[in-house]
């Protein structure tokens, strides 16, 4: 349950474009702690299988409880799984020919060198989906299924109710940015603009956002 602060700091400082900036000893420390990972090449078809296997392990109650519990605790890694879960619930099982062309169903490449450390940094730093690629979704759900079941508190429910009320009472001319700023003022809810954007996207994936005036920032495949 408790975070390894040193390993988490190494992870959050990881630079996708310049991975060598992370010292080898730091990488190994964070890897041993379960925060960073070796990159490996995965194929589209094997990753589809992994994603659907992980989906079958999911319990909806655990997913929603972890999402709610993230609101007061700030545990963004508890929040992100709900997005991946709802995307993959509607995800068809399919295969791709190894012809070098991206999948016509999910737009993923036939194979990819997957940087799991980068995806994990998104789990802890943003708490929402930034890519709909199957390689990312499979890893997110895989890691989420390793988390313990955490029960939300009254404070979590109060924060969530405040979020829903802000969205429900939004004016027709309110921009997503304005809605985000209102959400950012909720007492006990520490977050930044990027995390609030991810939160609104998650609510969209869950079909909670029904206000026509609120345009959710859906990610691209």
């Amino acid at each position: 349950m408790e975070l390894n602060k040193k390993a988490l700091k190494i992870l959050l400082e990881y630079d996708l474009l310049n991975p060598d900036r992370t010292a080898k000893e730091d990488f190994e420390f964070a890897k041993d702690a379960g925060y960073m990972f070796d990159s490996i090449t995965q194929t589209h078809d094997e990753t589809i299988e992994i994603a659907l296997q992980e989906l079958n392990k999911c319990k909806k109650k655990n997913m929603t409880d972890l999402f709610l519990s993230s609101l007061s605790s700030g545990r963004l890694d508890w929040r992100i799984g709900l997005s991946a879960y709802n995307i993959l619930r509607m995800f068809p099982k399919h295969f791709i020919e190894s012809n070098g062309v991206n999948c016509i169903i999910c737009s993923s490449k036939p194979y990819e060198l997957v940087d799991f450390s980068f995806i994990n940094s998104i789990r802890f730093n943003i708490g929402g989906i930034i890519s709909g690629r199957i390689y990312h979704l499979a890893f997110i759900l895989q890691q989420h299924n390793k988390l313990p079941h955490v029960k939300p508190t009254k404070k979590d429910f109060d924060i969530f109710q405040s979020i829903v009320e802000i969205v429900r009472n939004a004016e027709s001319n309110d921009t997503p940015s304005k809605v985000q700023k209102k959400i950012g003022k909720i007492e006990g809810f520490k977050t930044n603009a990027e995390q609030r954007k991810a939160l609104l996207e998650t609510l969209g994936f869950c079909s909670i956002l029904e206000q026509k005036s609120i345009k959710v920032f859906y990610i691209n495949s």
Side-chain angles (χ1 to χ4, degrees):
M1 285 287 291
E2 289 190 9
L3 294 171
N4 184 317
K5 293 182 180 180
K6 179 180 177 180
L8 181 60
K9 184 175 185 293
I10 294 170
L11 175 68
L12 295 182
E13 291 177 349
Y14 178 70
D15 186 348
L16 174 67
L17 301 179
N18 194 2
D20 291 337
R21 287 183 58 184
T22 301
K24 185 176 180 180
E25 57 270 24
D26 287 342
F27 176 85
E28 292 299 329
F29 177 86
K31 179 182 172 182
D32 289 342
Y35 286 72
M36 298 190 76
F37 306 83
D38 293 318
S39 298
I40 64 171
T41 298
Q42 288 186 318
T43 68
H44 170 281
D45 291 356
E46 72 176 331
T47 309
I48 292 286
E49 292 288 355
I50 293 170
L52 296 181
Q53 287 172 11
E54 294 298 330
L55 180 64
N56 288 333
K57 296 177 186 177
C58 291
K59 295 182 179 179
K60 189 175 181 180
K61 174 67 172 173
N62 293 0
M63 305 296 292
T64 55
D65 280 356
L66 277 166
F67 172 82
L68 289 169
S69 298
S70 76
L71 299 178
S72 66
S73 67
R75 285 292 298 269
L76 299 172
D77 57 315
W78 293 355
R79 190 176 304 169
I80 192 172
L82 191 59
S83 289
Y85 171 75
N86 278 285
I87 293 171
L88 289 173
R89 278 197 313 123
M90 308 301 293
F91 204 86
K93 183 174 182 177
H94 62 281
F95 302 98
I96 189 173
E97 295 182 4
S98 299
N99 56 7
V101 179
N102 288 5
C103 177
I104 61 173
I105 303 297
C106 67
S107 300
S108 295
K109 299 176 182 178
Y111 59 89
E112 185 170 315
L113 179 63
V114 189
D115 191 331
F116 298 114
S117 296
F118 169 69
I119 307 171
N120 209 35
S121 70
I122 299 302
R123 290 180 64 233
F124 283 93
N125 197 38
I126 297 177
I129 303 296
I130 67 166
S131 166
R133 296 205 298 278
I134 189 63
Y135 302 103
H136 290 200
L137 296 175
F139 175 81
I140 289 168
L141 214 55
Q142 191 175 52
Q143 295 303 306
H144 207 73
N145 280 334
K146 296 177 181 179
L147 295 172
H149 183 199
V150 181
K151 292 184 179 181
T153 64
K154 181 181 182 301
K155 188 174 182 180
D156 293 312
F157 284 108
D158 289 344
I159 292 172
F160 184 70
Q161 183 176 355
S162 297
I163 293 171
V164 172
E165 287 298 318
I166 288 171
V167 174
R168 181 181 298 161
N169 296 324
E171 301 293 336
S172 59
N173 61 344
D174 279 352
T175 63
S177 177
K178 187 173 182 179
V179 173
Q180 286 179 29
K181 289 179 180 179
K182 289 180 180 180
I183 291 174
K185 295 178 181 179
I186 295 173
E187 185 178 356
F189 186 44
K190 296 181 180 180
T191 184
N192 60 37
E194 190 171 19
Q195 292 162 2
R196 292 192 294 272
K197 173 183 173 180
L199 174 69
L200 287 176
E201 286 178 344
T202 298
L203 298 182
F205 293 134
C206 298
S207 301
I208 293 173
L209 291 184
E210 295 182 354
Q211 290 287 91
K212 293 182 179 180
S213 60
I214 303 298
K215 296 181 179 180
V216 185
F217 306 80
Y218 288 104
I219 50 85
N220 297 316
S221 298

